[in-house]
Amino acid sequence: ALLQGHSESITCNEIYNGKAGIVVSEPYYETLEGWHLQEALNYHYLVSSFRQRGLLEETYVSVPSYAVVKGFAVEFDKLYGAYSELGRMAKEGGKCDIPSSPHVCGFDHTLVNQYGCRQDEYDMVFSLWQYGHKRLTDDFTIATIPYEGPAPLQITIHGADRELKQPEEKQNGATEYGTGNHCNVDDDSLWIKSLFKCEGICHGMVCWVEYNVRIKGDNEGICSDNNGKSDTNCLFKTISTATRQHKQAVRLVKDAISLTEKDIGRTKFCCRANFGGLGGSEDHSFEIKVEQ
């Protein structure tokens, strides 16, 4: 039987006091349209809620099976200047601690600049193909978001030297969500590091989600290769939000960094992610920097 409804209202009564064996989602949420990372995280939290309420069989299958958060460093033609401090050209770095004229075309933008200097603290979404830009690094993997597999469902943050599961599983077997401090991501080993491969100006990072749908095998393992290659148990097909019909998330740096020929293959773009337990309305955070 097919069961549709708001997740918070689904109980054992709707599934005749049994448990569901399959969970299917697009995932799509009208209020989150275009914000694919938030959609991917929301589905993760919904499935986790179903499990905690005893609505799913132990070996249930999810469609999609898991999502991978990807990114690359980017240079923009004009976008950085449009969303950073007014009165300073993007090529000058947009440094908020250096005095600059807030007057543009005769209008005082001092108040606006109080928010324009915070471009590194939040995501924006754009149809990237509509904006002039240049890739400065290869694609890198930020995190893996599972929707099925052994309990508890834990998001894997991919660092340069190690991986971290979020949220942490406590000694009594419980899993904490939304506590505000359930994970420690201050470890330097959790920075993802990607070498710059060309000259340019680093304005930030582009981020998107790749959903992986199981087309063969069981739900015991997550395939490490997201290009449809299989391990001994499973085979996945990838559906990416990096295409023209989707929007991509952008996180800008506070200070744009110029890259010369000597930086190619030496200077690194670094990103560190955190998911869940942040308080307020934020469900994730990114720290980004350039390591020279």
Side-chain angles (χ1 to χ4, degrees):
L2 294 177
L3 179 64
Q4 300 184 30
H6 292 290
S7 60
E8 62 271 15
S9 64
I10 296 176
T11 67
C12 289
N13 292 331
E14 277 74 37
I15 47 180
Y16 309 103
N17 293 315
K19 295 186 178 183
I22 301 175
V23 183
V24 181
S25 177
E26 191 167 343
Y28 169 82
Y29 307 93
E30 184 177 1
T31 57
L32 296 175
E33 185 172 3
W35 297 84
H36 297 296
L37 178 53
Q38 283 78 2
E39 288 180 327
L41 288 169
N42 195 38
Y43 182 51
H44 169 81
Y45 297 137
L46 288 176
V47 174
S48 296
S49 174
F50 286 153
R51 294 183 69 155
Q52 291 174 346
R53 289 151 54 195
L55 300 178
L56 301 179
E57 294 178 355
E58 185 176 347
T59 57
Y60 75 95
V61 172
S62 172
V63 182
S65 301
Y66 68 100
V68 177
V69 184
K70 308 279 284 187
F72 63 81
V74 65
E75 174 187 349
F76 289 109
D77 292 348
K78 297 179 182 285
L79 190 145
Y80 186 84
Y83 288 90
S84 58
E85 181 186 8
L86 290 168
R88 179 176 297 278
M89 298 298 291
K91 65 180 181 181
E92 295 180 284
K95 295 184 178 180
C96 298
D97 57 345
I98 298 178
S100 62
S101 173
H103 292 83
V104 180
C105 298
F107 292 94
D108 187 348
H109 291 78
T110 301
L111 180 61
V112 176
N113 276 347
Q114 295 178 13
Y115 301 94
C117 290
R118 295 175 50 249
Q119 73 270 10
D120 62 316
E121 299 177 13
Y122 54 86
D123 295 344
M124 296 172 282
V125 293
F126 303 98
S127 296
L128 199 63
W129 66 270
Q130 297 179 338
Y131 297 83
H133 67 281
K134 179 172 69 173
R135 291 172 177 256
L136 300 178
T137 67
D138 292 327
D139 296 349
F140 48 80
T141 299
I142 299 172
T144 300
I145 305 173
Y147 302 129
E148 61 179 35
L153 292 179
Q154 293 176 290
I155 299 172
T156 301
I157 297 177
H158 299 279
D161 301 315
R162 71 184 184 97
E163 296 181 343
L164 175 69
K165 302 282 187 179
Q166 290 191 299
E168 292 179 327
E169 185 178 11
K170 302 304 178 181
Q171 292 182 352
N172 61 3
T175 303
E176 292 194 0
Y177 287 84
T179 60
N181 59 358
H182 63 261
C183 290
N184 176 19
V185 294
D186 293 332
D187 195 324
D188 284 342
S189 65
L190 290 174
W191 285 96
I192 300 162
K193 299 182 179 181
S194 183
L195 290 169
F196 287 102
K197 62 178 185 179
C198 60
E199 301 178 46
I201 301 174
C202 180
H203 289 138
M205 175 181 73
V206 173
C207 178
W208 69 96
V209 175
E210 294 185 348
Y211 292 103
N212 291 265
V213 179
R214 187 184 308 278
I215 58 177
K216 177 184 176 182
D218 54 37
N219 71 340
E220 292 299 316
I222 289 180
C223 216
S224 59
D225 193 313
N226 302 316
N227 296 313
K229 296 181 180 179
S230 63
D231 61 14
T232 57
N233 298 314
C234 54
L235 182 68
F236 294 93
K237 182 67 176 179
T238 297
I239 301 172
S240 178
T241 64
T243 55
R244 286 172 64 101
Q245 61 265 39
H246 296 285
K247 292 183 178 180
Q248 293 76 43
V250 172
R251 177 64 67 94
L252 300 177
V253 295
K254 192 169 187 65
D255 300 324
I257 304 296
S258 295
L259 303 165
T260 63
E261 185 177 357
K262 68 178 182 180
D263 293 305
I264 300 175
R266 298 176 56 187
T267 301
K268 300 175 182 178
F269 180 84
C270 306
C271 171
R272 184 165 63 180
N274 189 13
F275 296 92
L278 300 176
S281 59
E282 296 295 330
D283 56 12
H284 73 283
S285 66
F286 289 129
E287 297 176 76
I288 53 180
K289 65 181 182 180
V290 173
E291 187 177 275
Q292 294 179 307

